[in-house]
Amino acid sequence: MANGETIVEHRLDAEGADPLTLTGVTDRNLQEITRLFGIRVVMRGDHLILSGSLDSVERAAPVVQHMIELSRLRAPFDVADIGRFADGGDALGPEGIVHPDDEIRIAIPGSRRVIVPKSDGQRRYVQRITNNDIVIGIGPAGTGKTYLAVACGLDALYKKRVRRIVLVRPAVEAGENLGFLPGDLQEKVDPYLRPLYDALEDMMPPDRMRRALEESTIEIAPLAYMRGRTLSDAFVILDEAQNATTAQMKMFLTRLGLNSQVVITGDKTQIDLPRKIDSGLLEVERILSDINGISIVYLSAKDVIRHRLVKDIINAYARASEEDDEPS
């Protein structure tokens, strides 16, 4: 190898693993290991052979072992998952394997979708939602904050733990002026609420979703519409909470009624308010963290589930922001 590095070879027993699950279509899973660690991966019989520098092989081995264990359990994973395995590679190994029976799964009745958290951060997030009355999920785009919260809400609704779901968003213009769009008031605010509709449409059959909206079993509304209400027997989600002002956030939190649960999601790097210090998300992070029954969960680029480049883009912006904050 270059720079005089010694090539080492490490064999991993893959007996009992499903070959297609392990290697992926056209060996794309093995190619991803090569891309991530700069090593050569070959499957020979019931063994995977890793070849490369000692450091690279040592870093890759726990990740590949994790893939083998999942393949033995017939638990599917894809290329994006391998990147997340690599991010947590030090914690992987036989002891770190999550058996499908122990995995968090949210089955949506009437749909073939089964929602499964795909990272440690996402699993922690869903567990906190299960065990707390108020959960605040903070993290960048693509980490599943809204999607998983909606899935948990539907799960609570179908299991009759609540009677309705209320999905709320601040109607704050992010540099675009939507005030001159045609239509009535509801049609004007719908563009702000579209991501919530998208999450529901991905999980529910169209007729069931339409009926739930018509019967107000599921309600989607701007944050301003919450003033003066008491939300009882409800699973309430405040999305894009970084754009709620401190006054709006206090108003929203005090709407909580009996047998209700609240999930607040937001991204501190995407505040569209005129003054960032007015963000209610920043305030609740500071003043509510020590209250029993309220849990704050932080998600990071490691939990991004979108296109693999999204994680790189988020990290690039974070580095640029840190450089801008450094004194000259």
Side-chain angles (χ1 to χ4, degrees):
M1 291 186 71
N3 301 323
E5 286 185 296
T6 301
I7 298 176
V8 299
E9 189 175 278
H10 183 57
R11 300 169 69 89
L12 291 172
D13 182 7
E15 185 177 3
D18 178 65
L20 184 59
T21 301
L22 178 58
T23 63
V25 178
T26 64
D27 289 344
R28 66 178 61 176
N29 292 346
L30 303 188
Q31 293 168 11
E32 181 68 1
I33 292 295
T34 295
R35 187 188 72 82
L36 290 170
F37 297 101
I39 65 172
R40 185 167 178 261
V41 188
V42 178
M43 184 138 191
R44 290 182 183 162
D46 287 333
H47 288 84
L48 272 180
I49 302 174
L50 316 183
S51 303
S53 70
L54 177 61
D55 177 67
S56 298
V57 169
E58 285 183 341
R59 288 188 296 112
V63 176
V64 177
Q65 183 65 50
H66 190 63
M67 293 165 56
I68 291 171
E69 296 295 337
L70 290 174
S71 301
R72 284 173 174 152
L73 298 168
R74 303 301 193 268
F77 56 89
D78 56 28
V79 168
D81 294 323
I82 295 171
R84 285 187 288 279
F85 301 159
D87 286 336
D90 292 342
L92 295 176
E95 297 80 10
I97 299 300
V98 178
H99 193 282
D101 291 342
D102 300 327
E103 184 65 278
I104 298 170
R105 293 174 178 266
I106 303 172
I108 307 298
S111 169
R112 295 181 178 179
R113 294 300 306 274
V114 176
I115 312 302
V116 180
K118 290 195 170 185
S119 70
D120 289 339
Q122 289 193 351
R123 279 187 285 274
R124 184 169 62 252
Y125 178 52
V126 173
Q127 287 168 345
R128 298 281 182 86
I129 292 174
T130 302
N131 297 323
N132 292 272
D133 292 330
I134 298 178
V135 171
I136 303 168
I138 299 175
T143 52
K145 303 183 301 295
T146 303
Y147 192 83
L148 290 172
V150 170
C152 289
L154 287 172
D155 187 54
L157 180 67
Y158 288 134
K159 291 179 178 176
K160 301 188 182 302
R161 292 198 294 264
V162 297
R163 295 173 57 189
R164 56 183 170 152
I165 299 173
V166 182
L167 307 175
V168 185
R169 257 191 170 210
V172 174
E173 295 173 354
E176 300 91 358
N177 190 341
L178 302 180
F180 297 102
L181 289 174
D184 58 21
L185 179 60
Q186 188 62 47
E187 289 171 327
K188 286 180 183 294
V189 299
D190 271 355
Y192 297 106
L193 307 175
R194 186 69 247 175
L196 298 174
Y197 286 104
D198 290 342
L200 287 172
E201 288 172 355
D202 194 53
M203 299 181 204
M204 299 180 70
D207 58 334
R208 179 169 292 190
M209 175 180 165
R210 184 170 56 253
R211 187 165 60 251
L213 290 169
E214 290 172 353
E215 297 172 353
S216 295
T217 305
I218 298 177
E219 178 184 355
I220 304 178
L223 177 57
Y225 286 22
M226 296 298 106
R227 191 172 299 278
R229 299 180 60 180
T230 299
L231 301 172
S232 301
D233 286 316
F235 192 102
V236 190
I237 300 171
L238 173 58
D239 192 36
E240 296 290 327
Q242 75 275 2
N243 290 327
T245 65
T246 55
Q248 286 176 325
M249 183 66 78
K250 181 180 179 182
M251 176 272 293
F252 172 77
L253 287 170
T254 54
R255 300 308 92 201
L256 185 64
L258 295 175
N259 191 41
S260 287
Q261 191 171 359
V262 168
V263 178
I264 297 170
T265 72
D267 179 356
K268 294 190 292 183
T269 69
Q270 298 288 333
I271 298 174
D272 298 315
L273 296 170
R275 298 194 316 160
K276 289 189 176 183
I277 59 173
D278 292 332
S279 172
L281 181 65
L282 300 182
E283 183 175 53
V284 296
E285 180 189 21
R286 178 174 59 85
I287 68 176
L288 300 184
S289 58
D290 295 330
I291 296 179
N292 188 33
I294 299 178
S295 180
I296 300 178
V297 181
Y298 293 94
L299 299 163
S300 69
K302 293 181 180 180
D303 303 301
V304 170
I305 305 301
R306 294 179 184 170
H307 192 287
R308 65 176 181 82
L309 287 177
V310 172
K311 178 165 60 177
D312 296 335
I313 292 168
I314 291 169
N315 288 332
Y317 271 99
R319 288 193 298 271
S321 178
E322 290 172 1
E323 291 171 0
D324 290 341
D325 291 340
E326 290 179 357
S328 56

